Amino acid sequence: MYGPYSCPEEEEAEGSRLLPVDKVLFLIHGIGEALWSRSTTSVSSLRDGVDKMESNILKLRLEESKKSDRKPNGRVMVLPVFWYNKVQNEDLSLQKDLNAVTLKTVPFLRKTCNGVALDVLFYSTPKFLTSIVEETCLSMNRSWKILKSWCPHLKDDSVAIIGHSLGSVIGFDLLQGQSREPEGKCSFYLGDAFDTNIQVPRLDFWPKLYISCGSPLGMFLATREDKKSADFCLPTCTHYLNVFHPFDPIAFRMEPCFDRRLANLEPEIVPHVGGDLAITNINRFGKSLSGQLNKLKRWNIQLQGQGICEPRMVEMEEETTEEDLIKISQGVAVNKGGRVDFQMQDGAFITANQYLGALSSHSCYLFDEDFALL
């Protein structure tokens, strides 16, 4: 009576999923994945994030192809990287010891704490850090080998790695320990607080880009007393971005780790699909106005020094201008002189209710179209 169901948009999307792979994203999960992956929990798992991210990237590619009137000739494959089995496995002697000392009261809360917070404690221990990094590397090498057998045309520069939450620290440690020399030893210095080197396996590919999102990496480097200079770079990875939601309680900035003065430089804003949000434009206007007022103050002090205007009781420390800070950021090598810190946008309601935004902000990245734009 109604005829066959037809939806050109859906058919086009399904057809695009059959295109050859031209880009690969490895996605390393963060804390609590042992819990989120269970069917009994309502929290989104890494696999949910992978599916949504692939869908968002495909959607954006199709929209871009319509604007340029050219069909996409390839697709992006997002591959999950799991490491939690190295520490969150009920068969491990470690887990049996933890279960033995865990109190029986409020079992749901204790199980959640053990499944989430303990991941951070494990990774703060050199022994488990090494085990987790090894599992992460082996997982990516296995997937890359299989993918190369299917798609022999893929090159290293078509690969990127994304680390979410604690996964961003794992990915960074693995990449900073790589060596460009075929026979070179792969290791990294854990920082003055530990004063030890950590051996890591060798990746079978050199990714072009590393992205950390919702990342506590800045905090880890600070507590390790691992001070990075502006000359620091990831040996086999040419570009690095750190993306965060402004209300994510787990996220930290990275640019000040390379030069502390960059704490005074506002992060770059991630473009919003469909155009910037109104609250972002308002904030930009406010910062621009503040910058102009600061310029007027500096000019006033200069005129006083030249005797052109009457001296006033104005005390003002010598400031580093935004232009100076941008020049400093261009000297940071880890992203070839480009900006490292990128802040996602949010609506006026969430901005006015920051604690409400904090509840969902840490898990938003993989499901956000703006993040897929990167």
Side-chain angles (χ1 to χ4, degrees):
M1 180 178 180
Y2 296 103
Y5 171 78
S6 177
C7 179
E9 289 80 7
E10 288 184 9
E11 291 174 3
E12 185 179 18
E14 285 303 315
S16 298
R17 294 182 190 276
L18 301 177
L19 291 171
V21 176
D22 63 357
K23 292 285 189 297
V24 181
L25 299 180
F26 286 103
L27 185 53
I28 308 171
H29 72 76
I31 59 174
E33 188 61 30
L35 286 179
W36 317 146
S37 294
R38 295 175 184 172
S39 58
T40 54
T41 182
S42 60
V43 179
S44 297
S45 68
L46 179 67
R47 294 192 186 279
D48 296 328
V50 165
D51 292 342
K52 184 61 177 177
M53 192 169 185
E54 272 196 347
S55 176
N56 284 338
I57 293 173
L58 178 60
K59 177 183 175 183
L60 291 172
R61 278 197 164 193
L62 289 174
E63 290 176 354
E64 188 63 30
S65 68
K66 289 177 181 178
K67 293 178 183 177
S68 60
D69 199 28
R70 289 189 303 176
K71 290 186 177 182
N73 54 11
R75 64 187 176 93
V76 178
M77 176 174 281
V78 185
L79 297 172
V81 180
F82 295 96
W83 53 261
Y84 67 82
N85 270 331
K86 298 302 289 187
V87 289
Q88 296 284 2
N89 189 323
E90 293 296 332
D91 295 330
L92 294 176
S93 176
L94 167 67
Q95 282 296 326
K96 292 176 181 177
D97 291 340
L98 285 172
N99 291 336
V101 297
T102 300
L103 298 179
K104 305 304 179 186
T105 54
V106 288
F108 175 77
L109 183 59
R110 294 189 189 280
K111 197 172 188 66
T112 302
C113 288
N114 285 358
V116 177
L118 283 178
D119 282 345
V120 179
L121 296 179
F122 286 139
Y123 199 72
S124 299
T125 306
K127 174 184 175 182
F128 295 112
L129 183 156
T130 302
S131 178
I132 290 170
V133 170
E134 286 177 351
E135 178 62 22
T136 300
C137 183
L138 293 174
S139 175
M140 286 194 283
N141 282 345
R142 283 194 300 266
S143 296
W144 179 245
K145 183 178 180 180
I146 294 170
L147 192 56
K148 283 285 286 182
S149 68
W150 296 342
C151 312
H153 63 279
L154 287 175
K155 306 298 182 185
D156 287 10
D157 62 3
S158 63
V159 183
I161 299 175
I162 301 174
H164 176 240
S165 187
L166 182 60
S168 67
V169 186
I170 299 167
F172 187 89
D173 285 344
L174 174 60
L175 290 172
Q176 73 168 327
Q178 297 299 297
S179 172
R180 297 185 70 88
E181 301 298 327
E183 303 300 325
K185 184 169 66 173
C186 292
S187 66
F188 69 93
Y189 183 60
L190 195 54
D192 293 344
F194 293 93
D195 193 24
T196 186
N197 288 306
I198 300 294
Q199 305 293 320
V200 300
R202 184 183 296 275
L203 276 170
D204 293 339
F205 55 90
W206 290 4
K208 183 178 181 179
L209 171 65
Y210 179 58
I211 300 177
S212 58
C213 58
S215 174
L217 178 57
M219 180 269 292
F220 269 81
L221 294 181
T223 56
R224 291 174 179 176
E225 298 181 9
D226 183 6
K227 300 185 185 301
K228 304 294 188 187
S229 69
D231 296 330
F232 171 84
C233 59
L234 299 171
T236 60
C237 184
T238 53
H239 296 281
Y240 168 52
L241 305 178
N242 178 50
V243 184
F244 56 89
H245 190 285
F247 307 133
D248 184 349
I250 309 297
F252 288 77
R253 289 194 62 178
M254 278 301 297
E255 287 173 336
C257 294
F258 307 111
D259 192 310
R260 193 175 294 175
R261 291 172 294 180
L262 294 177
N264 297 315
L265 180 62
E266 293 291 332
E268 283 286 296
I269 300 298
V270 175
H272 180 63
V273 175
D276 288 341
L277 295 173
I279 190 68
T280 301
N281 292 324
I282 292 171
N283 289 338
R284 281 178 177 157
F285 175 76
K287 289 168 187 172
S288 175
L289 183 60
S290 175
Q292 294 301 320
L293 291 174
N294 285 333
K295 282 184 179 179
L296 288 174
K297 289 180 181 179
R298 286 194 293 274
W299 289 340
N300 182 54
I301 290 174
Q302 290 173 0
L303 292 173
Q304 290 175 24
Q306 298 170 14
I308 297 175
C309 67
E310 295 182 5
R312 298 180 182 177
M313 297 298 292
V314 178
E315 293 185 6
M316 186 175 176
E317 295 181 3
E318 186 176 347
E319 292 184 1
T320 305
T321 66
E322 184 176 2
E323 290 80 4
D324 293 335
L325 291 172
I326 291 174
K327 289 180 181 178
I328 293 170
S329 73
Q330 291 170 346
V332 174
V334 75
N335 194 34
K336 285 197 166 183
R339 292 299 304 275
V340 174
D341 286 334
F342 286 78
Q343 178 178 300
M344 299 185 71
Q345 301 184 45
D346 216 328
F349 175 77
I350 297 298
T351 301
N353 300 270
Q354 297 186 10
Y355 288 98
L356 181 62
L359 295 175
S360 59
S361 59
H362 186 60
S363 58
C364 74
Y365 302 96
L366 309 183
F367 301 87
D368 198 302
E369 286 189 7
D370 292 356
F371 185 74
L373 279 173
L374 296 170

